[in-house]
Amino acid sequence: METIKYMRMALQEAKKARDIDEVPVGAVIVKEGKVLARSHNEKETRKDVTKHAEIIAIQKASKKLDNWHLDDCILYVTLEPCAMCAGAIMQARIKKVVFGAFDPKGGSLESCFQLYNIKGFNHYPEVESGVLEEESAGLLKDFFKAKRNV
């Protein structure tokens, strides 16, 4: 199944983040079966709060397409997007978001609130949640457990 294939790529990116002591979140953007961008969190590395995996992936895909409109693109991400990322996804006109783990402290698609259910916006991505949820959540739990034990 294509969804699982791309989510596994996002998990590989999340592991790259973990390996450089970043919160393990990874993202992949695909259009018509072609990977446009892969990324992982770089907030700590770049000392920039906006360097979430989703934002970096959107920037890379936009550069590759030479267009900020990411129509017909699907974003695969290991953690439910926060409000900043959910807004950027909407603004980029991404067709669909597929995410793994739910984020009870910041998720803006289903957990804390449902941004895409608020009326009045000009674009609403489709959402598929809980894909490879256990693996995505496990990476995060292991990362933070290790942080607490240091």
Side-chain angles (χ1 to χ4, degrees):
M1 180 178 212
E2 293 293 300
T3 299
I4 300 299
K5 171 184 164 183
Y6 296 123
M7 278 300 293
R8 290 208 183 285
M9 286 182 191
L11 280 163
Q12 289 173 343
E13 288 296 319
K15 290 173 184 173
K16 288 180 186 177
R18 175 201 61 201
D19 293 346
I20 59 170
D21 205 30
E22 292 276 357
V23 174
V25 178
V28 173
I29 294 180
V30 177
K31 182 174 184 176
E32 297 169 354
K34 182 177 180 185
V35 175
L36 296 179
R38 298 174 190 226
S39 61
H40 53 271
N41 273 1
E42 295 183 21
K43 270 177 36 175
E44 301 299 330
T45 303
R46 293 195 187 186
K47 311 286 188 261
D48 184 341
V49 71
T50 67
K51 296 305 179 192
H52 289 203
E54 301 96 309
I55 300 294
I56 297 168
I58 288 168
Q59 291 169 337
K60 286 180 176 181
S62 295
K63 186 174 183 178
K64 192 162 197 171
L65 294 176
D66 195 28
N67 195 336
W68 62 270
H69 283 268
L70 299 180
D71 302 319
D72 299 320
C73 290
I74 301 173
L75 169 70
Y76 298 86
V77 62
T78 58
L79 180 65
E80 179 181 4
C82 69
M84 174 183 69
C85 293
I89 290 162
M90 194 177 343
Q91 290 295 315
R93 312 293 196 272
I94 288 174
K95 177 182 175 179
K96 184 175 181 178
V97 179
V98 178
F99 74 84
F102 291 85
D103 184 358
K105 294 183 179 180
S108 298
L109 304 186
E110 296 186 22
S111 296
C112 291
F113 68 99
Q114 298 81 37
L115 180 65
Y116 300 159
N117 288 342
I118 298 172
K119 294 183 190 234
F121 295 117
N122 65 343
H123 177 74
Y124 295 91
E126 297 170 45
V127 176
E128 184 176 349
S129 57
V131 177
L132 297 183
E133 180 181 0
E134 285 183 31
E135 289 155 85
S136 297
L139 268 176
L140 290 158
K141 286 175 187 170
D142 291 347
F143 177 81
F144 287 113
K145 184 178 180 184
K147 285 283 186 195
R148 286 189 299 273
N149 291 332
V150 171

